[in-house]
Amino acid sequence: MAKIRPFRAVRPARDKEAQVTSRSYERYTKHELEATLTGNPMSFLHIIQPGFKLPEKVTGQHRFDLVREQYREFLDREILIRDEKPSFYVYRMIKENFSCLGFFCATSTEDYENNIIRKHEDTLLRRETLFASYLKVVRFNAEPVLMTYPDNMEIAGILQETSEDKPQCDFKSPDGVQHLLWVVDDPGKIRQLQEAAKEIKSLYIADGHHRSASSCRLARELSELNPEHKGNEAYNYFMSYLVPESEVRIYEFNRMVRGLNGHSAGAVLELLDEHFKVENKGTAVIKPGQKHQFSMYLQGNFYLLTLREDKYNFSDPLSSLDSHILKTLVLDPILGIRDLRNDKRIQYGYGKENTALMKQEVDKGNFSLGFGMLPITVDELKAVADAGLVMPPKSTYIEPKLRSGFTVYEL
């Protein structure tokens, strides 16, 4: 049973949402970041990147302190305003070919520890520790963890009924995406949503594994430091956006590799033949047509690689993932890439035009070959998480991508 609770969000002042909220910091190019920080003094990026106007680079504890100061300044200037009542926040995103309806809430670190909140990715201890230190100083979550749950008719009814009222917030971000928000602060409706959520046996992290793990680490630390710890303190929760699994979209990452690990192109094709049926499809861009099938672009030609299933051992949910098959049969043994997270020879791409872009990059000589695959399904993601296993890096690109500073949870 998943525990959720309302919270008093800090939100942009009315009609300032489009100026204040931002994409996740990591999704900006250096040029975009500089342009936004220069041209928009109300962007939440000024909180996340407080040393923008300083002559020296700001890092570590100094940066954390400045983030906290900038956050307080935005509150003092009433660019950000704290809601009066604990609330749930129903949120709809609408963009080309995609929309979703879910809600922001506080989720439990205890549920994370007890595997009610389930993971499908490993976290890096260094990043986990660093972000926990950051949270300890700044004391807020600016970007929610994206979680999904099995479709629930009662929750869907509550969300749909709420969304039929006039939204408290309705704006388009610079990328053309429409954002609508409804504040649910009525105690009766809050209880109704909490009761409905009790039917959720497990929540699945779609995006935000490091944020979840860091929040959990911080909760353990603060509980040990607090002699009056009761378990209901704000630090025992972290902000999440919950959305039914039918309303998330999972896309694939393509892989591009530099070098052939000392092999000739012909030798690579011969080595692939042991585990795959290899078909030369010529120069036209192709994509896989079924699971356990891959496209490969090498020396001006596309190849279709179809797994010889009689020569492969499907032992658990992880072994069935195409990203794992590619890693264990091709990237590691043939191309010598064992560390998919840190090896500089491999690069990842996503998007509907990415196969054509992959071809361009190989043709330019920036990479030696590229691989495409079908997206992982929600059922595959859940099966891996339920088994306590973890996917290879860059196995999924998941939407919605949520904005920073839209709702802020204070620890």
Side-chain angles (χ1 to χ4, degrees):
M1 180 181 73
K3 293 192 292 292
I4 62 169
R5 76 176 191 178
F7 64 100
R8 291 177 62 195
V10 172
R11 299 188 290 128
R14 185 175 293 275
D15 298 327
K16 290 185 172 65
E17 295 92 349
Q19 295 168 277
V20 175
T21 63
S22 68
R23 304 198 304 270
S24 177
Y25 174 77
E26 292 82 6
R27 295 178 61 212
Y28 285 86
T29 65
K30 183 179 179 180
H31 175 75
E32 288 175 327
L33 188 62
E34 289 180 355
T36 303
L37 289 169
T38 302
N40 180 7
M42 286 193 290
S43 171
F44 201 86
L45 290 169
H46 283 284
I47 296 175
I48 302 301
Q49 191 69 8
F52 172 65
K53 294 183 179 180
L54 298 180
E56 73 281 358
K57 186 177 181 180
V58 178
T59 60
Q61 181 71 33
H62 185 204
R63 176 175 175 267
F64 301 167
D65 291 338
L66 288 177
V67 168
R68 183 65 184 168
E69 289 176 17
Q70 282 285 88
Y71 176 69
R72 288 172 173 164
E73 182 179 334
F74 269 50
L75 283 169
D76 291 343
R77 293 166 56 195
E78 296 188 343
I79 297 172
L80 295 173
I81 297 175
R82 186 178 292 107
D83 282 346
E84 294 183 0
K85 300 178 182 177
S87 307
F88 290 125
Y89 300 87
V90 174
Y91 167 64
R92 185 190 295 278
M93 172 192 285
I94 303 173
K95 60 183 292 188
E96 184 182 6
N97 300 322
F98 176 74
S99 67
C100 64
L101 180 66
F103 65 102
F104 296 107
C105 65
T107 49
S108 167
T109 57
E110 183 181 23
D111 282 355
Y112 182 93
E113 296 275 19
N114 292 334
N115 204 38
I116 293 171
I117 294 174
R118 300 193 172 180
K119 317 93 183 167
H120 67 264
E121 286 184 8
D122 266 336
T123 55
L124 299 175
L125 181 60
R126 175 184 57 82
R127 285 188 61 192
E128 188 181 313
T129 304
L130 178 65
F131 196 62
S133 300
Y134 168 84
L135 290 175
K136 188 177 181 181
V137 175
V138 305
R139 292 303 182 101
F140 64 77
N141 296 154
E143 186 177 334
V145 173
L146 175 64
M147 296 194 201
T148 189
Y149 58 88
D151 285 42
N152 179 293
M153 290 184 63
E154 187 174 357
I155 296 176
I158 296 170
L159 299 184
Q160 184 59 42
E161 181 183 3
T162 302
S163 70
E164 290 170 0
D165 294 334
K166 182 180 179 180
Q168 279 89 343
C169 170
D170 182 354
F171 73 98
K172 279 192 175 182
S173 49
D175 55 6
V177 179
Q178 186 176 7
H179 308 270
L180 302 100
L181 191 78
W182 295 264
V183 179
V184 180
D185 57 10
D186 176 74
K189 287 188 176 181
I190 288 173
R191 283 194 300 271
Q192 187 182 10
L193 192 50
Q194 286 178 310
E195 286 299 312
K198 289 181 179 179
E199 298 300 316
I200 300 174
K201 294 181 180 179
S202 300
L203 291 167
Y204 295 86
I205 299 174
D207 192 11
H209 284 80
H210 280 94
R211 275 169 275 148
S212 305
S214 301
S215 296
C216 217
R217 177 178 287 271
L218 178 66
R220 288 195 297 266
E221 180 180 350
L222 293 182
S223 66
E224 291 170 1
L225 294 173
N226 182 4
E228 299 181 2
H229 173 79
K230 297 179 181 178
N232 61 352
E233 294 87 353
Y235 59 72
N236 295 295
Y237 292 80
F238 57 96
M239 183 171 62
S240 296
Y241 176 65
L242 308 190
V243 63
E245 61 186 43
S246 64
E247 297 197 27
V248 298
R249 293 291 180 269
I250 303 179
Y251 303 91
E252 75 282 5
F253 277 95
N254 290 343
R255 277 90 165 112
M256 295 179 290
V257 179
R258 296 183 180 92
L260 300 180
N261 196 31
H263 302 297
S264 67
V268 169
L269 293 172
E270 288 181 14
L271 291 167
L272 288 169
D273 188 65
E274 179 181 355
H275 290 286
F276 300 91
K277 177 185 176 183
V278 181
E279 301 173 76
N280 188 332
K281 294 295 185 179
T283 59
V285 172
I286 64 166
K287 293 186 176 183
Q290 63 191 49
K291 284 289 183 181
H292 312 328
Q293 192 175 74
F294 306 85
S295 61
M296 180 181 73
Y297 186 64
L298 173 66
Q299 290 195 336
N301 287 294
F302 273 95
Y303 295 83
L304 202 58
L305 313 179
T306 305
L307 181 68
R308 300 185 191 276
E309 296 190 9
D310 59 331
K311 292 189 174 184
Y312 184 76
N313 180 28
F314 293 99
S315 57
D316 56 34
L318 179 61
S319 68
S320 297
L321 293 184
D322 286 347
S323 58
H324 181 79
I325 292 170
L326 189 65
K327 171 183 179 290
T328 55
L329 297 184
V330 181
L331 297 177
D332 184 345
I334 297 177
L335 298 175
I337 296 177
R338 295 170 178 82
D339 185 350
L340 297 184
R341 196 182 297 275
N342 299 307
D343 196 314
K344 301 299 183 185
R345 290 173 295 160
I346 189 167
Q347 188 166 309
Y348 304 90
Y350 65 89
K352 60 183 180 180
E353 302 298 330
N354 190 62
T355 303
L357 294 174
M358 177 181 75
K359 178 182 183 300
Q360 290 178 17
E361 288 296 303
V362 175
D363 287 342
K364 290 176 184 176
N366 295 328
F367 296 90
S368 303
L369 76 172
F371 298 94
M373 67 190 83
L374 291 180
I376 285 168
T377 67
V378 171
D379 286 342
E380 287 177 315
L381 182 152
K382 290 168 58 181
V384 169
D386 289 343
L389 301 169
V390 294
M391 298 180 184
K394 301 295 184 182
S395 288
T396 58
Y397 179 86
I398 301 179
E399 287 192 330
K401 295 296 181 187
L402 303 167
R403 295 184 74 76
S404 294
F406 194 17
T407 58
V408 177
Y409 174 74
E410 295 185 313
L411 300 171

